[in-house]
Amino acid sequence: TIKIDKNIKNIDFNSFEEITNYPYVFKDKNTVYTLNTDDDKIATVFDFRGIDYKINELSGANPNTFEIIEPNYFKDNKNVYYFSNKEKMIKKIENVDSESFEIMNDDYAKDKNNTYYKGKIFKEADVKTLDKHYDENNNGYKIKDKKKVYKTKK
């Protein structure tokens, strides 16, 4: 059970809800909150199993349209966000075209202008030909473009 101090003034508890618990992401009518961002704006602290956690505001995220689209990816009406398992942090993907954004797998994605690897622009891949292909020999999907097949998780 998560206990959040109801005396905190910047959270609207009437609209406060959990979006996902891995990573922890919450929202109210005004703001999207997460445990870790690259923004230092601390909203509050909550207690879970005797451990205090900081909740940070995810700057610029629109709580009215913010949603999870894949376990590592979130979006709102203007931006796409990536959760890095390594950094344990949600970050806005820079220069993304959210209308054409397409997830290939946990690590690879693309839009009409760029390819992305773990939430960062990946210049090595060709945006026009990057795609997910079924590989009968390995009984799974591979990410490849006209130049090469890219390493994916097993």
Side-chain angles (χ1 to χ4, degrees):
T1 309
I2 295 173
K3 297 176 201 164
I4 297 180
D5 184 351
K6 299 274 187 192
N7 295 317
I8 301 296
K9 293 183 177 28
N10 57 340
I11 293 178
D12 179 68
F13 286 98
N14 292 325
S15 63
F16 189 79
E17 64 179 301
E18 180 181 279
I19 296 172
T20 179
N21 65 7
Y22 188 81
Y24 280 112
V25 180
F26 310 92
K27 70 178 181 176
D28 65 17
K29 68 179 184 177
N30 303 310
T31 307
V32 176
Y33 306 95
T34 182
L35 289 184
N36 299 304
T37 69
D38 51 2
D39 189 350
D40 287 343
K41 197 171 184 183
I42 298 169
T44 188
V45 172
F46 74 87
D47 175 72
F48 180 67
R49 297 183 181 158
I51 299 170
D52 286 339
Y53 292 92
K54 294 186 299 184
I55 297 179
N56 298 296
E57 291 183 19
L58 188 55
S59 293
N62 181 342
N64 298 315
T65 59
F66 191 85
E67 63 183 343
I68 185 170
I69 50 176
E70 288 283 333
N72 290 1
Y73 291 94
F74 301 83
K75 74 173 189 167
D76 64 15
N77 60 321
K78 295 180 184 170
N79 299 300
V80 179
Y81 303 84
Y82 177 78
F83 172 70
S84 167
N85 282 311
K86 183 178 179 182
E87 298 175 71
K88 302 292 183 223
M89 188 175 292
I90 295 177
K91 292 184 177 184
K92 182 173 91 171
I93 300 175
E94 297 298 329
N95 303 313
V96 71
D97 178 75
S98 59
E99 292 294 316
S100 65
F101 187 78
E102 179 184 351
I103 299 165
M104 304 278 110
N105 71 0
D106 288 349
D107 295 330
Y108 294 92
K110 71 178 184 174
D111 65 17
K112 68 181 183 179
N113 302 313
N114 295 298
T115 57
Y116 303 90
Y117 178 70
K118 295 188 176 185
K120 295 181 179 159
I121 290 177
F122 182 56
K123 294 195 181 290
E124 185 178 331
D126 177 62
V127 69
K128 290 184 174 93
T129 61
L130 187 72
D131 208 354
K132 181 167 53 172
H133 297 274
Y134 186 71
D135 182 354
E136 290 181 24
N137 296 330
N138 293 321
N139 198 25
Y141 287 91
K142 297 287 182 194
I143 306 300
K144 71 179 191 174
D145 66 9
K146 68 181 180 183
K147 298 182 272 188
K148 68 184 268 188
V149 175
Y150 295 93
K151 184 179 176 183
T152 58
K153 295 178 196 171
K154 294 207 176 210

